Amino acid sequence: MSVLVLGGAGYIGSHAVYQLVEQGEEVVVIDSLETGHREAIHPKATFYEGDIREIDFLRSVFKKETIDAVIHFAANSLVGESVEKPLKYFDNNVYGTQVLLQAMVEADVKHIIFSSTAATYGEPESVPITETMPTNPTSPYGETKLIMEKLMKWTEQAHDVKFVSLRYFNVAGAKETSEIGEDHRPESHLVPIILQTALGQRSHITIFGDDYDTEDGTCIRDYVHVEDLVQAHLLALDYLRKGGKSNIFNLGSNEGFSVKEMIETAREVTGKEIPAQIGKRRAGDPSVLIASSDKAKSVLGWNPTRTSVKQIIQDAWNWHSSHPDGYGKEG
Ligand code: UFG
């Protein structure tokens, strides 16, 4: 039996494929390579290039391969872009998931692990955020992820496809060996931007606002190491295979760090100056996002081991400094 990873050439998906292969799973990858990188796909995975909105393409993969579970990372994930282009997000994320579920129902595949987000909560009433708190997304991106969760909920009721939805907080870091890492084009995430500045590829980093209601005025986020995050997917796979019920879990560190603290830690780790300037607030940024991940720990037995901001930045730095052009100029 194989695990089908949709979006297995992307940042988080590629780390998942590596861990699955290392754990002895047979892995099939689907990726459109629109944002993913062919070089990030583990050589032992069977790769199909294509779009999840193409039902005939999905049908052909489910027919050819023997798949017992799907891990679904294939989505557009930029909050800002989603505000500019909401229909692109509804089409790729929501419609794409609808087509995927249709193909799974037809192929009688009963398990799906889904990549969701803290953006489903919107501006939280309080932190740490637990899974039972209200969901009021403030961007089309967060809204599409919430709708995707609902699609799975109703598909389960009708067709018994069990799901685990994992709501990620801020994912960063890279594989310890630096074989794979983060390479978005254009880059918008904090940790890679800090490290590109450390490498001299940017003159400075702009801090998006220092007038938030936090101790140093900059936004606070909860950073989780990509390898720990992926570990939770493997545990969720085991949980579903053993008959676990459909469920939703937050994945974070239960700790918050400000943008200024992240830059300061990166200065310590890299020994570089990393010039920073204060800019305007970025639209839609909540001031503080911190997860409670107690449920993932107690139900799935999740035990993050590399999640400290220092380790996250160290592993990301090893990747960026050994791959200054990411997966290459053409990418
Ligand atoms: N930031 C800066 N300067 C930059 C980039 C980011 O100050 O150049 C700040 C942001 O304002 C924010 C923090 O750094 O306060 C983290 O920003 P990221 O863009 O790295 O991450 P976000 O918190 O915006 O987004 C992350 C994921 C999204 C997900 C979201 C959920 O990247 O996919 O969490 O809230 F939707």
Side-chain angles (χ1 to χ4, degrees):
M1 291 298 242
S2 302
V3 178
L4 172 62
V5 180
L6 302 149
Y11 168 45
I12 302 171
S14 61
H15 284 79
V17 173
Y18 268 72
Q19 279 196 28
L20 286 162
V21 170
E22 283 159 15
Q23 202 172 277
E25 297 279 352
E26 299 285 328
V27 184
V28 176
V29 168
I30 287 180
D31 201 294
S32 69
L33 299 182
E34 192 191 310
T35 54
H37 306 276
R38 190 181 294 276
E39 300 84 343
I41 303 169
H42 194 291
K44 284 203 176 139
T46 307
F47 175 51
Y48 294 87
E49 183 176 345
D51 194 308
I52 61 165
R53 290 167 292 189
E54 303 286 340
I55 185 91
D56 289 336
F57 164 64
L58 286 187
R59 281 183 180 133
S60 71
V61 174
F62 278 110
K63 201 164 169 202
K64 221 166 149 203
E65 305 290 342
T66 316
I67 289 159
D68 81 315
V70 170
I71 310 185
H72 180 21
F73 298 99
N76 293 116
S77 62
L78 300 175
V79 173
E81 184 191 51
S82 79
V83 177
E84 305 288 321
K85 299 177 183 166
L87 300 180
K88 171 179 171 177
Y89 278 68
F90 281 88
D91 182 33
N92 194 26
N93 295 3
V94 177
Y95 178 63
T97 302
Q98 181 187 328
V99 174
L100 167 65
L101 289 168
Q102 176 68 39
M104 286 177 67
V105 168
E106 287 175 15
D108 204 26
V109 177
K110 297 291 191 196
H111 302 138
I112 178 166
I113 293 153
F114 173 67
S115 149
S116 188
T117 169
T120 52
Y121 295 107
E123 183 79 50
E125 284 164 8
S126 61
V127 292
I129 301 170
T130 61
E131 293 82 353
T132 52
M133 284 188 181
T135 43
N136 293 304
T138 50
S139 68
Y141 168 64
E143 193 83 72
T144 59
K145 288 278 175 168
L146 192 58
I147 296 171
M148 291 150 89
E149 287 186 351
K150 302 223 155 133
L151 271 175
M152 289 187 296
K153 179 183 111 176
W154 293 109
T155 304
E156 183 201 351
Q157 289 206 11
H159 305 288
D160 200 33
V161 176
K162 295 272 187 293
F163 69 91
V164 167
S165 180
L166 300 172
R167 292 181 176 163
Y168 311 161
F169 282 65
N170 287 63
V171 189
K175 196 164 177 61
E176 195 180 354
T177 56
S178 299
E179 288 161 279
I180 49 174
E182 190 166 8
D183 181 0
H184 296 108
R185 317 226 173 155
E187 190 53 74
S188 68
H189 295 87
L190 181 67
V191 171
I193 287 179
I194 292 175
L195 297 177
Q196 287 172 355
T197 312
L199 281 172
Q201 294 172 337
R202 296 171 187 259
S203 60
H204 65 277
I205 167 150
T206 302
I207 296 173
F208 296 144
D210 69 347
D211 56 351
Y212 285 94
D213 188 16
T214 61
E215 205 159 306
D216 66 19
T218 65
C219 287
I220 291 179
R221 293 288 180 275
D222 179 336
Y223 295 86
V224 53
H225 196 295
V226 64
E227 288 284 87
D228 286 333
L229 182 98
V230 162
Q231 183 61 36
H233 295 67
L234 273 66
L235 293 167
L237 181 63
D238 193 45
Y239 164 90
L240 285 181
R241 281 175 171 164
K242 287 185 173 143
K245 70 176 174 66
S246 292
N247 224 326
I248 297 179
F249 301 97
N250 288 338
L251 297 178
S253 73
N254 295 44
E255 264 191 286
F257 291 87
S258 73
V259 175
K260 280 188 177 167
E261 285 174 326
M262 294 300 283
I263 296 172
E264 204 41 56
T265 308
R267 287 178 180 137
E268 280 166 32
V269 168
T270 64
K272 307 279 181 187
E273 188 199 346
I274 316 184
Q277 289 179 11
I278 306 298
K280 284 194 299 211
R281 286 186 178 200
R282 186 172 66 177
D285 271 346
S287 56
V288 182
L289 287 176
I290 301 173
S292 162
S293 307
D294 295 350
K295 186 177 168 192
K297 287 178 183 158
S298 65
V299 178
L300 295 177
W302 189 43
N303 177 26
T305 56
R306 293 187 82 75
T307 292
S308 71
V309 293
K310 216 163 179 181
Q311 189 67 61
I312 287 171
I313 292 174
Q314 182 67 61
D315 288 345
W317 178 237
N318 292 346
W319 156 256
H320 283 282
S321 50
S322 59
H323 298 79
D325 295 316
Y327 288 104
K329 289 199 190 305
E330 303 305 319

